[in-house]
Amino acid sequence: MTKFIVVTGGVLSGVGKGVTTASLGKILKEHGYKTTLIKIDPYINFDAGTLRPTEHGEVWVTDDGGEIDQDLGTYERFMDESIPKKNNLTTGQIYKAVMDKERAGFYLGQTVQFVPHIIDEIKKRLKEAACDHEIAIVEVGGTVGDYENVPFLLALKGLDREMGAQSTAYVLVTYLPIPDHIGEMKTKPTQQAIRLLGQEGILPDFIICRAKYPLDAVRRKKIEEFANISSDHVISAPDIETIYQIPLDLEREGLGVKVLAHLGLTSRKQPNLTQWQELVTAIKSPERRVTVAIVGKYLESGDFSMTDSYVSIYQALIHAGAQQNCGITINWIDAKTFETDPSKLSELAAADGVIIPGGFGTAGVEGKMKAIEYVRINKIPYLGLCYGMQLAAVEFARNVCGFSQANTTEVDKDTLHPIIDILPTQKQLLESSDYGGTMRLGSYSAVVKKESSVEHLYQGASVIKDGQTFVSERHRHRYEVNPRYVPALEDKGLSFSGYHVREDGAKLMEFLELPEHPFFIATQAHPEFKSRLGNPNPLFAGFVKACSVKR
Ligand code: GLN
């Protein structure tokens, strides 16, 4: 039977619960246990697809087309495994399933209630996500004390009771503030989090103490006594330079063996974290550094800059850099600045490479195209991701092919030259306001052109079938390169170096490149979703390599 580890948060969200969950997963995998990670998001949205990235961070896409909270991305990056969409539970999914069953007569004659029906649906889904694994780590989003967490904690407690002793371990990730005016690390909020968890009938077995500095003996004792657990179950987790350090630190504290012992298990093999350690060293003190400009849109939220909307791109660069002993400095640039002040484009010359990430709508689009024109002409390495590919095609159509009115129909429905256009099926969905989960989502494979840069970069990561080379990446978009314009663009030197063949035989462009440029590659996909530490994505690896070449 699968054993469960429940990770909850106290005091503040955003202090590293996801990274702790991912790190623990990595450690337990290293100890020889088949482990999976599950995320509970207590919001009423069905999934993260309709959330605003500036508020909630990036929308993560799974191989099977789920649009999910970015924590699932952290899990994959640490576990080096694809995690399916069933490993994400939201309140919206639970209630919708129960309501759909009620309407279908499944509960005929019964009063449908919070207990047992909602709780049973949660338990069923947890079991489905956990099955085929020896250990399932379940991260409960938000913090204990959030009203919306109650049903999930109740369900987890219920599973624990059904499965009996040593079936479940509870981990509380808490935060210990050091207010400036006091200058002392305070344990009181942690004590309150422990009490709140107690109100749900849960006593933590392990407490991970996040703080600016390591926990001292006095505070450790206070927490140990308050929670009534042994001091070696209170784990200090101070701020560190890179999140990838955390599995190493937790393993050094012996967390893996301690959690296994709590579940009545023992280690099956000595963890081998040597390669991971080497990569962490390369991240912390690289031999050289490159600067990458990310020209995006979602960079400001109130008084704060939200780079979380691009977290996977940043991580993919770090993975590629770590492999090449190269540090990454990011220059986050709001595309709109180029619209109001084109002289700012020269900032791009100071970068070793430029990325235009995915995006939606009209804001910043003209600025992005100015940036693309600049890097194309000045031969600065360019990686375009999704919208970054579509706009590269439009820019080329306008400035090289002479279609000055070219555009994407996402920006101008009536453009004279719709270089990027919407799929007919997508048009119907938009007309009926059917927005949730209806984009082209998940993994699709592409046939890549022989001898193209894309084929070279993916060597070792591609599949050869019937003499053709296939690569597979994840997607999240509605618009496509309009096939009508492909010959005109190719005539002028843009090469579409990969396409997907749809069931009806239609060819959807997946990659483009400029053979005359040192590195100008763009893709309709989101290769950032397939990058892991120790296993970087080929496009990012090639891009970082190109950034390292002195211009
Ligand atoms: N807005 C574009 C589309 O829907 C690109 C999407 C993206 O960059 N993820 O096709």
Side-chain angles (χ1 to χ4, degrees), residues 358-361 385-387 390 410 476-479 524 526:
F360 294 86
L385 307 169
C386 206
Y387 218 7
Q390 298 176 352
E410 183 169 355
R476 183 172 188 255
H477 66 115
R478 280 187 209 285
Y479 294 78
Q524 187 56 78
H526 288 279

Side-chain angles (χ1 to χ4, degrees), residues 20-60:
T20 304
T21 303
S23 301
L24 190 52
K26 167 142 191 84
I27 296 171
L28 296 177
K29 188 176 166 185
E30 282 293 328
H31 277 284
Y33 282 88
K34 197 160 181 240
T35 305
T36 193
L37 309 182
I38 300 170
K39 174 78 196 289
I40 288 174
D41 283 308
Y43 44 67
I44 295 171
N45 301 59
F46 186 83
D47 60 28
T50 53
L51 294 175
R52 188 176 297 125
T54 36
E55 269 168 41
H56 202 82
E58 164 192 277
V59 178
W60 174 259

Side-chain angles (χ1 to χ4, degrees), residues 112 277 368 424 446 499 535 551:
V112 181
Q277 172 70 72
K368 287 179 186 175
Y499 58 84
N535 191 5
R551 291 202 303 272

Side-chain angles (χ1 to χ4, degrees), residues 483 499-509:
Y499 58 84
H500 171 78
V501 185
R502 218 172 41 187
E503 274 167 17
D504 61 4
K507 284 183 183 171
L508 309 181
M509 295 306 127

